[in-house]
Amino acid sequence: SWSRRRNLGDWAQAQDHVIAGLAQAALNLSITARDARGLMQACPQARIARLPPFIDAGPFQAPPAPQPGHFVTAAMMRHGDKLSSYLALASALALVPGDWRLSIAGDGPARAEVEAAFAPLAPRVTFLGQLDQPALAALYAQGWLYLWPGHAEAYGLAALEAQAAGLPVISEATAGVPEVVKDGETGILTPEHDPSAYTSAITALAFDPPRRAKMAQAARHFAADERGLDAAARRLDTLLREIRP
């Protein structure tokens, strides 16, 4: 990988090798537009094409059985940006009215801090620990909304998995998150680090059943048809055929 922040000291030589590799490659695949812009700045002569984030949507496409007011979050619990997202979510939910509950799937070294942040919301919040794929798919199927602010998220495959299960996503328009959520269609993206806007988005969508149902259907189709394995395979096949001699 290449990062401008590592372009100093002992890292500089390795960075040079990365740039040389980018320049020599017949094609460089970029998962996000943000990465593509960064690569072009680092190596203007590089040949770059987009291959958007994708998942195997099949395991998450069981018939949904959403439970009203059931919010779902699935994320690692580690210090830094992940903990920052958890803290932002706890702050936002504290202001969301009505009858709701949150299930959190995930674990990690910052679990104590995460649990402390949500303690004022007990018993509305359930910690499920790390789940395997079938258990996670079952959780998504029961969800009403998928909530995750996504601070500094590269893009977030969990958001695609949730959408494949029919869960609209509420996140922030930050980092690579816009690559996996269609704002206003499959979910809502609020301004970065704006707790009030995030709270308002949850409240507005959670208790607007027609809008939520429309987004749920759009999310399911987006994840399966536009970001599933078949779509990614077609895109990759086209790109590779274009560079054949």
Side-chain angles (χ1 to χ4, degrees), residues 36-59:
R37 290 192 297 269
L39 289 175
M40 286 302 299
Q41 293 172 3
C43 185
Q45 68 270 39
R47 292 164 293 279
I48 301 169
R50 292 288 310 285
L51 181 64
F54 61 91
I55 61 168
D56 180 1

Side-chain angles (χ1 to χ4, degrees), residues 220-242:
R220 197 171 175 89
H221 287 302
F222 169 63
D225 300 338
E226 296 184 38
R227 297 302 179 82
L229 288 180
D230 288 344
R234 289 193 299 269
R235 173 67 174 159
L236 183 58
D237 181 67
T238 297
L239 292 173
L240 295 180
R241 288 177 185 277
E242 289 175 351

Side-chain angles (χ1 to χ4, degrees), residues 118-145:
F118 285 93
L121 300 175
R124 291 184 170 202
V125 179
T126 301
F127 291 91
L128 302 174
Q130 184 175 344
L131 301 181
D132 60 17
Q133 188 182 77
L136 191 58
L139 175 64
Y140 288 149
Q142 299 171 7
W144 197 242
L145 294 175

